CSV table of all heavy atoms in Angstrom, one decimal:
chain,number,residue,atom,x,y,z
A,218,LYS,N,-12.4,19.0,-18.5
A,218,LYS,CA,-12.1,18.3,-19.8
A,218,LYS,C,-13.3,17.6,-20.4
A,218,LYS,O,-13.5,17.6,-21.6
A,218,LYS,CB,-11.0,17.2,-19.5
A,218,LYS,CG,-9.7,17.8,-19.1
A,218,LYS,CD,-8.7,16.7,-18.7
A,218,LYS,CE,-7.4,17.2,-18.2
A,218,LYS,NZ,-6.5,16.2,-17.7
A,256,ALA,N,-8.4,24.4,-27.6
A,256,ALA,CA,-7.5,23.4,-28.1
A,256,ALA,C,-8.1,22.0,-27.9
A,256,ALA,O,-8.0,21.1,-28.8
A,256,ALA,CB,-6.1,23.5,-27.5
A,257,ASN,N,-8.7,21.8,-26.8
A,257,ASN,CA,-9.3,20.5,-26.5
A,257,ASN,C,-10.4,20.2,-27.4
A,257,ASN,O,-10.6,19.1,-28.0
A,257,ASN,CB,-9.8,20.4,-25.0
A,257,ASN,CG,-8.7,20.2,-24.0
A,257,ASN,OD1,-7.6,19.9,-24.4
A,257,ASN,ND2,-9.0,20.4,-22.8
A,260,ALA,N,-9.2,19.4,-30.9
A,260,ALA,CA,-8.6,18.1,-31.0
A,260,ALA,C,-9.7,17.0,-31.1
A,260,ALA,O,-9.6,16.1,-31.9
A,260,ALA,CB,-7.8,17.8,-29.7
A,501,VAL,N,-13.5,11.3,-20.7
A,501,VAL,CA,-12.2,11.8,-21.0
A,501,VAL,C,-11.3,10.7,-21.6
A,501,VAL,O,-10.6,10.9,-22.6
A,501,VAL,CB,-11.6,12.5,-19.8
A,501,VAL,CG1,-10.1,13.0,-20.1
A,501,VAL,CG2,-12.4,13.7,-19.4
A,502,THR,N,-11.3,9.6,-20.9
A,502,THR,CA,-10.4,8.5,-21.3
A,502,THR,C,-10.7,8.0,-22.8
A,502,THR,O,-9.8,7.8,-23.6
A,502,THR,CB,-10.6,7.3,-20.4
A,502,THR,OG1,-10.2,7.7,-19.0
A,502,THR,CG2,-9.8,6.1,-20.8
A,504,ALA,N,-12.1,9.8,-25.2
A,504,ALA,CA,-11.7,10.8,-26.2
A,504,ALA,C,-10.2,10.8,-26.3
A,504,ALA,O,-9.6,10.9,-27.4
A,504,ALA,CB,-12.2,12.2,-25.7
A,505,GLU,N,-9.4,10.7,-25.2
A,505,GLU,CA,-8.0,10.8,-25.2
A,505,GLU,C,-7.3,9.6,-25.9
A,505,GLU,O,-6.2,9.7,-26.3
A,505,GLU,CB,-7.4,10.9,-23.8
A,505,GLU,CG,-7.7,12.3,-23.2
A,505,GLU,CD,-7.1,12.4,-21.8
A,505,GLU,OE1,-6.9,11.4,-21.1
A,505,GLU,OE2,-6.7,13.6,-21.4
A,506,LYS,N,-8.1,8.5,-26.1
A,506,LYS,CA,-7.5,7.4,-26.9
A,506,LYS,C,-7.3,7.8,-28.3
A,506,LYS,O,-6.5,7.2,-29.0
A,506,LYS,CB,-8.5,6.2,-26.8
A,506,LYS,CG,-8.4,5.5,-25.4
A,506,LYS,CD,-9.4,4.3,-25.4
A,506,LYS,CE,-9.3,3.6,-24.0
A,506,LYS,NZ,-10.3,2.5,-23.9
A,507,VAL,N,-8.0,8.8,-28.8
A,507,VAL,CA,-7.8,9.3,-30.1
A,507,VAL,C,-7.0,10.6,-30.1
A,507,VAL,O,-6.1,10.8,-30.9
A,507,VAL,CB,-9.2,9.5,-30.8
A,507,VAL,CG1,-9.0,10.2,-32.2
A,507,VAL,CG2,-10.0,8.2,-30.9
A,508,THR,N,-7.3,11.5,-29.2
A,508,THR,CA,-6.7,12.8,-29.2
A,508,THR,C,-5.4,12.9,-28.6
A,508,THR,O,-4.6,13.8,-28.8
A,508,THR,CB,-7.6,13.9,-28.5
A,508,THR,OG1,-7.7,13.5,-27.1
A,508,THR,CG2,-9.0,13.9,-29.1
A,509,GLY,N,-5.0,11.9,-27.7
A,509,GLY,CA,-3.9,12.1,-26.8
A,509,GLY,C,-4.3,12.9,-25.6
A,509,GLY,O,-5.5,13.3,-25.5
A,510,PRO,N,-3.5,13.2,-24.7
A,510,PRO,CA,-3.8,13.9,-23.5
A,510,PRO,C,-4.5,15.2,-23.7
A,510,PRO,O,-3.9,16.0,-24.5
A,510,PRO,CB,-2.5,14.0,-22.7
A,510,PRO,CG,-1.6,12.9,-23.2
A,510,PRO,CD,-2.0,12.8,-24.7
A,511,LEU,N,-5.6,15.5,-23.1
A,511,LEU,CA,-6.3,16.8,-23.2
A,511,LEU,C,-5.7,17.7,-22.1
A,511,LEU,O,-5.2,17.2,-21.1
A,511,LEU,CB,-7.8,16.6,-23.1
A,511,LEU,CG,-8.5,15.8,-24.1
A,511,LEU,CD1,-9.9,15.6,-23.8
A,511,LEU,CD2,-8.4,16.5,-25.5
A,512,GLN,N,-5.8,19.0,-22.4
A,512,GLN,CA,-5.2,20.0,-21.5
A,512,GLN,C,-6.1,20.2,-20.3
A,512,GLN,O,-7.3,20.1,-20.4
A,512,GLN,CB,-4.9,21.3,-22.2
A,512,GLN,CG,-4.0,21.2,-23.3
A,512,GLN,CD,-3.7,22.5,-24.0
A,512,GLN,OE1,-3.5,23.5,-23.4
A,512,GLN,NE2,-3.8,22.5,-25.3
Side-chain angles (χ1 to χ4, degrees):
K218 293 175 186 176
N257 284 348
V501 175
T502 299
E505 287 183 333
K506 287 180 179 178
V507 176
T508 64
L511 296 173
Q512 299 181 47

